[in-house]
Amino acid sequence: MIRILLADDEHLIRGAMAALLSLEEDLEVVAHAATGAEALAMARSFRPDVAVIDLQMPDLDGVSVAQTLALELPSCSTMIVTSHGRPGHLKRALAAGVRGFLPKTVSSDVLATVVRTVHKGGRYVDPALAAEAISAGDSPLTPREADVLELALEGAPVDEIARRASLSPGTVRNYLSSAVGKTGTSNRHEAARWARAKGWI
Amino acid sequence: MIRILLADDEHLIRGAMAALLSLEEDLEVVAHAATGAEALAMARSFRPDVAVIDLQMPDLDGVSVAQTLALELPSCSTMIVTSHGRPGHLKRALAAGVRGFLPKTVSSDVLATVVRTVHKGGRYVDPALAAEAISAGDSPLTPREADVLELALEGAPVDEIARRASLSPGTVRNYLSSAVGKTGTSNRHEAARWARAKGWI
DNA sequence: AGAAAGCCATGACAGATGTCATGTCGGCTG
DNA sequence: CAGCCGACATGACATCTGTCATGGCTTTCT
């Protein structure tokens, strides 16, 4: 019997996935969590065999949870399930020791299969996502450029970005300009949207 | 036996919700759809009692589907399930004849209950969402302002917005300016984000 | 040690943007 | 009918942005 921890902030989805997994003879959902912190707490007390974690959650994101889990509970294999599969996320997830990475668009029996695969020590990454990640390559952005772009994402004016990043406005404009150049976009907002689509910020 | 049509672009979620609903004695999922168009086609051939539809789908959104369904298949009650419950969406949905509106954060047994409620001719709107919708009030944006803001959402420069909206650049700037004023934000990008958060564009 | 690359900053300039005053036109309403 | 409002437009102005040149400072690799 494979013991599973389910973490997803959407209660309905979590319940539905639990129902789905429970239909399988050899799978058992032993713990639920609605946030990253809760997932960690649950994992510590229930010590599941496999953790199925949603990428986007209110507090910690799935990758951070996976990272901690890999250190604290090496016996537990982690897999990520997400609605928005971006190349950058996949890379970060694999670097964090995640064994499975699935978009929520996969058919429902794949989930059970992958749970078994990662439990046996295998890995599984959605082929479409893997292809995307490979073709997307690495982020061309320097860390600072990424920081600044992230702040620009909310539409803040340069001065505010400068304050929040503790930089001078001129420097911020330089970073934005260089990010715009690297992304081949025509203004910072497009650049920011582009970077988010790739999962780089 | 209540016959249900399930529409959600995320295969996994759809399967999971189907598993969940099938646990109930009196519910039966008779059709699946991954897109809005598919949902309509399925509804026409299977004539379900209740349609459970995700708000965001690749082609038509849930509200459009509900609208068509209400005209073509009055015997079928429609309910919307969504990850991002914005006040504006709720209003549009109710105007389209939707009988139930739930965020995916509700607990899983609520879903079955609401399916039964709308099937009996009742209505159910998530209380938290309803409160938000009431407090948010109506959109202060004129139709044109909303159009222009929608185009601004992608970070396009004024000239492009003007071309796409068949307006003069000056007029576009006026609309954006007035939208910024109405929303109490400090630039068009914040205004656009704000309008989207409210579900007004 | 020297080169390369990232990080931070300044200043200048053109072009884009936000704001305001002002005006036309058509539809709705009292 | 007169008045109001929304849609559309123009021109002018101040400010914000994007770009470029330039320079200093630190870290890393060779």
Side-chain angles (χ1 to χ4, degrees), chain B residues 139-149 175 178-179 182 200-201:
Chain B
S139 170
L141 303 173
T142 67
R144 298 295 156 172
E145 285 166 356
D147 290 348
V148 169
L149 259 195
Y175 285 151
S178 105
K182 285 176 180 175
W200 289 339
I201 61 175

Side-chain angles (χ1 to χ4, degrees), chain B residues 1 16 28 39 52 54 57-58 60 66 70 90 123 129 133 136 165 170 178 181:
Chain B
M1 192 64 113
E28 181 186 11
V52 178
D54 188 54
M57 283 185 293
L60 275 61
L90 175 53
R123 289 172 178 272
L129 232 49
S178 105

Side-chain angles (χ1 to χ4, degrees), chain B residues 97-144:
Chain B
V98 163
R99 310 284 279 277
F101 198 101
L102 292 179
K104 283 184 181 167
T105 51
V106 300
S107 92
S108 39
D109 38 58
V110 170
L111 180 65
T113 310
V114 176
V115 167
R116 295 191 191 98
T117 304
V118 303
H119 180 239
K120 279 186 301 201
R123 289 172 178 272
Y124 183 87
V125 170
D126 181 70
L129 232 49
E132 237 185 288
I134 291 165
S135 76
D138 278 324
S139 170
L141 303 173
T142 67
R144 298 295 156 172

Side-chain angles (χ1 to χ4, degrees), chain A:
Chain A
M1 192 65 113
I2 304 180
R3 302 172 66 250
I4 301 172
L5 160 68
L6 254 187
D8 192 316
D9 57 321
E10 294 178 329
H11 203 137
L12 180 58
I13 304 305
R14 208 167 69 238
M17 278 176 42
L20 185 74
L21 291 170
S22 301
L23 294 180
E24 308 288 325
E25 298 290 328
D26 55 338
L27 306 183
E28 182 185 11
V29 177
V30 296
H32 283 217
T35 68
E38 212 175 303
L40 284 176
M42 288 295 183
R44 286 186 191 112
S45 52
F46 286 92
R47 309 193 143 261
D49 301 314
V50 176
V52 177
I53 303 180
D54 188 53
L55 188 53
Q56 42 271 317
M57 283 185 294
D59 51 348
L60 275 59
D61 72 354
V63 176
S64 319
V65 175
Q67 213 152 15
T68 312
L69 233 48
L71 288 176
E72 291 193 14
L73 224 65
S75 68
C76 170
S77 307
T78 303
M79 49 182 289
I80 299 260
V81 172
T82 177
S83 311
H84 313 288
R86 309 200 203 289
H89 293 157
L90 173 53
K91 295 202 174 198
R92 285 213 315 277
L94 290 178
V98 164
R99 310 284 280 277
F101 198 100
L102 293 178
K104 283 184 181 168
T105 51
V106 300
S107 92
S108 40
D109 38 58
V110 170
L111 180 66
T113 309
V114 176
V115 167
R116 295 191 191 100
T117 303
V118 303
H119 180 240
K120 280 186 300 200
R123 288 171 176 275
Y124 183 89
V125 170
D126 180 71
L129 232 49
E132 236 186 290
I134 290 167
S135 76
D138 278 325
S139 170
L141 302 174
T142 67
R144 297 295 157 175
E145 285 166 358
D147 290 349
V148 170
L149 258 196
E150 196 161 0
L151 293 168
L153 201 53
E154 290 151 33
V158 167
D159 288 339
E160 190 184 328
I161 299 176
R163 271 204 319 281
R164 293 222 263 159
S166 303
L167 290 175
S168 89
T171 307
V172 169
R173 273 185 285 153
N174 280 341
Y175 285 152
L176 289 175
S177 181
S178 107
V180 165
K182 285 175 179 176
T183 57
T185 49
S186 60
N187 61 53
R188 63 159 113 170
H189 302 287
E190 277 183 40
R193 292 169 54 81
W194 176 90
R196 197 188 42 180
K198 297 279 188 178
W200 289 338
I201 59 175

Side-chain angles (χ1 to χ4, degrees), chain B residues 6-67:
Chain B
L6 254 187
D8 193 316
D9 57 323
E10 294 178 329
H11 202 137
L12 181 58
I13 305 306
R14 209 167 68 236
M17 280 177 41
L20 185 75
L21 290 171
S22 300
L23 294 180
E24 307 288 325
E25 298 289 329
D26 54 339
L27 307 182
E28 181 186 11
V29 176
V30 295
H32 283 217
T35 67
E38 212 175 303
L40 286 176
M42 289 295 184
R44 288 185 190 113
S45 51
F46 287 91
R47 309 194 141 260
D49 300 316
V50 176
V52 178
I53 303 181
D54 188 54
L55 189 54
Q56 42 271 316
M57 283 185 293
D59 50 347
L60 275 61
D61 72 353
V63 176
S64 317
V65 176
Q67 213 152 15

